[in-house]
Amino acid sequence: MSNPSRRDFLKHSSVAAASAGVLASVGSRAFADSDDTIRIGLVGCGGRGTGAAVQALKTAGNVKLVAMGDAFADQLDNSLNNIERQTRKDDTAHVAVDDEHKFVGFDAYRKVIGSDVDLVILATPPGFRPLHFEHAVANGKHVFMEKPVATDAPGVRQVLEAARVAKEKNLKVGVGLQRHHQPCYLDLVERVKNGEIGDVLAMRVYWNGGGVWEPRRTRDEVASEMEYQMRSWYYYNWLCGDHICEQHIHNLDVGNWILGGYPVKANGMGGRQVRTDKRYGEIYDHHAVEYTFADGRTMISQCRHIRGCWNSVSEHGHGSKGMVHLSSNPRSCRIEYANGDVYQFKGDTKTPYQIEHDDLFAAIREGRSYNEAVNGAMSTMTSILGRMCTYSGKELTMDEALNKGRSVMPPNVADLTFESTPPTVPGEDGSYPIPMPGSTNVLES
Amino acid sequence: MVEIRSLIPRRLMLAIAVVCLGVATSSSLSGRLFAGEGDDEKYLRSPDSIATTEAEMKPYTQKLRDTEISFDMVPIPGGTFLMGSPPDEPNRGEDEGPQIRVKVDPFWMGKHEVTWDEYDTWRLELDKRLRQFAGRETDNIDKIADAVTRPTPEYTDMTFGMGHDGYPAISMTQLAAKMYCQWLTAKTGQYYRLPTEAEWEYACRAGTTTAYSFGDDPEKLDEYAWWYGNSPEGYQKVGLKKPNPWGLYDMHGNVAEWCLDQYLPDFYSRFDADKVHAFPLAIPTELYPRVARGGSWYDEEPELLRSAARAKSDPDWKIQDPQLPQSMWYHTDAEFVGFRVVRPLNPPSEEDIKKHVLFPDIPEELIK
């Protein structure tokens, strides 16, 4: 805590990273502003989008936030307030969002992307991501987008196609799977890839916790069913993807990273046992999935939103010569070798949420290729495959899930209004239809 | 970490309402903090917890209603002591002097750091759930306890894989620790709060004047404390090492413990060295830094676990909280900070509570 050596190291290393970035930016003029300023826009002004905007603004060199968009005006104003407060002391962070560049409504993304920005941050509920990403790429914008990047297979296919176009156009794309930028992960995964624990035979990955925020509005406080779901988007599959997709993607992604690919099939079970009140929408409160990779190796996965149970947010690799234990808490990251030795990570604890932006913006300034979209899409699909298995109760291959997985989105997603009907609506008693294993069909018929 | 973007205003209003309501409308302390006196049975109070003089104070065990969870309190006699460390103490911090003479009134202190079992009863509303399962009607005691604001759910696992049952609760903000005390007060009908820095050091020293409550030799630390030298992978269950002379466990190490004070590096120099000072307290006015004492499993240098060593909170303690605004309940990166509760023999007046900010204080930047 007050350990001077570690604190000094932390400060020292961030200073070093910052100055490297500044040097690298010299001479680059490839941006809309005449100087080296990167102009950015924010689409989706919740807590995460707000945090991402601040991190983008705090990267090395001049960054200017010029446009913001959200479905809700109150959310946008709070966000702008917070961004201004958090960046006040940073000389190269510029917040210049006038009233004409605050866009509210379902179509706000088009206006932000059309606002002469170099990069757009996409941080709305994930159901909208494919539409927003595709539009950003079509308009030649660099992108930072939060995970997951879709909530269904058609959305993943859309992102994969847009990722291909982004690559052609040499657009830079960062995806908010920040473990790929966290020093403890980078160190330990490299050790595993170098064979320190032999061949990795299996993975165990968990996001077991007590759940996330409570629903934010009662029916009396909203004007329509659409607003009701949008305010409490976590609890609706089309917006959130269920928590296996929205949260557990992080751990599944680490499993994919270590095993070096994506699963070819899966089976699983899940349900809604404790969090059953109708205000909790339609998502499950637990999923357990077994994934199989092409060479037969297995990834065992659990995610749970039930209070008072065994909790863990971590990934564990079992190798022929030892085990690797990973977690976003660097102090929990270690390798246990078969001979009894232990390697404990003791390096940099800088926040990966900043590093992922530092890396992306450095790539933009240096003109290096940088595209995390394909992995973001495939790890998203890994989580969606798991959900399709738990909802249907069937064993499914990645191939059929990706190519024949049913849409969960409204058909007219580009033209939604608060009067539109969401793809799921409650019955007379206010409760929503819940997916039933053995009956629910998740593939196109 | 915790998604709070639109919860904040509502939760805050509730928290403020609880505080303001108490100050503005209730005429007596008991009317505000808990349902009433003389209801020992409902509060599950031990007769040993009742005392009006120092001589009557005994150790006692308090059960938490509707659960199988209890915690132990140990009487700490009143007295005068020298706070801080002498200039010749090896590896001391500048902020530990000059030493000042402090008078401390009697209180009980938690024999152990507050465990996850106790903390989650409040944090996760498990008491409400158990009451519901048992089919017990909500009574006046519950109503006041239920009205105390509780944290938003955590986004990730706050034990970080280090263990839950019997292990110390960690990573809470000082606000959360204070709010827990307010709930515990309502739940037990007796007034609990965090210790002041002076009370904490007095109890830690337990009459000793050495660097540690077991002497000056850091080599003996392993007998009394969990620190980086013997527990680099995390905290340990409470109460496994030897206690200090007054029967308090893990005062040195395991997890650092929140105090009420703002951290002021020159705090002691503000007092007259010739006088004895009663109830010194740096009333918090800023969110950072605040005081945590005792050192923890995360500290590599034995001197950070000394009786006089002072630690201060820092915004870095939330560095991995990706939301803005950041949670007011969790320090995502302070897996080394916990707390223990005290119960003064003479509970403070309403006025004192207000003056000394013994109640949860909402940081100003979160109110806007």
Side-chain angles (χ1 to χ4, degrees), chain A residues 221-375:
Chain A
E221 293 168 335
V222 297
S224 65
E225 176 65 26
M226 182 59 89
E227 183 185 352
Y228 184 71
Q229 295 191 18
M230 286 283 285
R231 289 283 187 185
S232 297
W233 60 268
Y234 209 100
Y235 296 97
Y236 301 90
N237 193 27
W238 68 283
L239 288 165
C240 160
D242 208 323
H243 62 103
I244 187 174
C245 182
E246 205 284 333
Q247 274 189 320
H248 192 35
I249 179 178
H250 281 297
N251 321 101
L252 296 167
D253 171 60
V254 170
N256 291 344
W257 187 10
I258 291 180
L259 292 176
Y262 305 100
V264 294
K265 66 175 181 180
N267 72 80
M269 55 181 81
R272 191 173 153 105
Q273 170 77 14
V274 177
R275 192 173 54 192
T276 53
D277 193 278
K278 55 197 173 198
R279 69 204 184 94
Y280 297 117
E282 58 175 349
I283 66 171
Y284 279 7
D285 59 15
H286 64 285
H287 306 255
V289 181
E290 187 182 308
Y291 292 93
T292 305
F293 286 70
D295 55 9
R297 291 185 295 169
T298 300
M299 172 162 67
I300 293 164
S301 129
Q302 292 180 13
C303 58
R304 178 164 57 198
H305 274 190
I306 302 177
R307 294 175 169 201
C309 303
W310 174 70
N311 288 340
S312 183
V313 179
S314 59
E315 305 89 21
H316 311 264
H318 296 251
S320 53
K321 295 179 189 165
M323 287 172 66
V324 63
H325 302 282
L326 292 158
S327 144
S328 60
N329 170 11
R331 270 73 72 179
S332 309
C333 291
R334 65 183 189 280
I335 293 177
E336 291 169 1
Y337 300 97
N339 67 5
D341 289 352
V342 172
Y343 169 78
Q344 178 83 36
F345 177 80
K346 283 182 78 177
D348 194 348
T349 56
K350 192 184 175 193
T351 169
Y353 297 98
Q354 185 59 50
I355 302 173
E356 64 183 345
H357 286 272
D358 292 345
D359 292 350
L360 170 62
F361 279 71
I364 293 172
R365 289 181 186 281
E366 293 161 21
R368 275 189 283 113
S369 63
Y370 191 95
N371 197 324
E372 298 180 329
V374 171
N375 180 63

Side-chain angles (χ1 to χ4, degrees), chain A residues 8-77:
Chain A
D8 288 349
F9 178 72
L10 179 70
K11 297 249 159 62
H12 181 74
S13 57
S14 35
V15 168
S19 46
V22 169
L23 285 178
S25 72
V26 171
S28 178
R29 290 283 186 276
F31 315 118
D33 264 25
S34 55
D35 58 10
D36 74 339
T37 301
I38 297 182
R39 295 163 58 88
I40 66 171
L42 171 62
V43 179
C45 302
R48 184 71 274 272
T50 306
V54 168
Q55 282 135 9
L57 287 163
K58 284 187 173 174
T59 59
N62 285 305
V63 181
K64 191 192 277 185
L65 177 65
V66 297
M68 293 168 70
D70 198 279
F72 299 108
D74 53 321
Q75 191 131 284
L76 194 154
D77 289 337

Side-chain angles (χ1 to χ4, degrees), chain A residues 6 46 213 216 233 329, chain B residues 3 5 10 298 300 335:
Chain A
R6 282 192 220 183
W213 42 272
R216 289 163 171 154
W233 60 268
N329 170 11
Chain B
E3 175 86 45
R5 73 189 159 199
R10 252 183 303 163
Y298 188 57
E300 286 179 62
E335 319 91 320

Side-chain angles (χ1 to χ4, degrees), chain B residues 130-333:
Chain B
L130 288 164
R131 187 196 316 152
Q132 210 177 351
F133 286 162
R136 187 173 68 71
E137 292 277 320
T138 301
D139 62 21
N140 285 342
I141 297 174
D142 303 317
K143 279 179 190 157
I144 294 175
D146 290 354
V148 176
T149 307
R150 308 203 191 198
T152 49
E154 76 278 30
Y155 188 73
T156 187
D157 162 35
M158 296 310 293
T159 72
F160 300 103
M162 296 190 287
H164 186 278
D165 296 4
Y167 291 90
I170 51 157
S171 288
M172 73 291 292
T173 57
Q174 191 210 39
L175 171 71
K178 285 175 158 188
M179 201 70 92
Y180 172 85
C181 293
Q182 187 180 338
W183 169 82
L184 192 62
T185 297
K187 203 79 183 165
T188 61
Q190 290 170 331
Y191 179 77
Y192 288 90
R193 60 165 166 80
L194 293 181
T196 66
E197 194 175 359
E199 288 167 338
W200 191 94
E201 183 172 330
Y202 175 70
C204 175
R205 289 187 173 282
T208 66
T209 56
T210 43
Y212 305 93
S213 60
F214 51 81
D216 286 317
D217 186 3
E219 294 293 316
K220 285 175 73 183
L221 202 50
D222 284 345
E223 294 174 41
Y224 294 87
W226 297 109
W227 62 297
Y228 199 82
N230 58 18
S231 191
E233 287 173 14
Y235 54 47
Q236 299 287 341
K237 283 191 176 177
V238 300
L240 296 180
K241 295 288 187 183
K242 289 184 190 168
N244 81 355
W246 286 349
L248 300 168
Y249 289 80
D250 303 307
M251 290 297 280
H252 303 295
N254 208 19
V255 296
E257 299 172 14
W258 280 119
C259 296
L260 280 173
D261 301 59
Q262 187 88 57
Y263 171 83
L264 301 172
D266 64 344
F267 187 51
Y268 304 169
S269 67
R270 302 180 183 200
F271 294 89
D272 187 338
D274 300 328
K275 291 187 180 144
V276 176
H277 304 278
F279 203 72
L281 169 68
I283 295 171
T285 56
E286 306 282 331
L287 184 53
Y288 299 105
R290 297 196 186 180
V291 173
R293 287 296 213 112
S296 75
W297 66 272
Y298 188 57
D299 287 316
E300 286 179 62
E301 290 83 5
E303 60 263 28
L304 297 176
L305 287 83
R306 287 173 306 111
S307 301
R310 309 173 69 200
K312 50 183 194 290
S313 66
D314 187 284
D316 272 3
W317 290 15
K318 283 187 192 174
I319 199 163
Q320 283 197 70
D321 183 343
Q323 303 277 336
L324 259 187
Q326 291 185 313
S327 171
M328 62 173 145
W329 303 109
Y330 298 98
H331 276 305
T332 47
D333 299 81

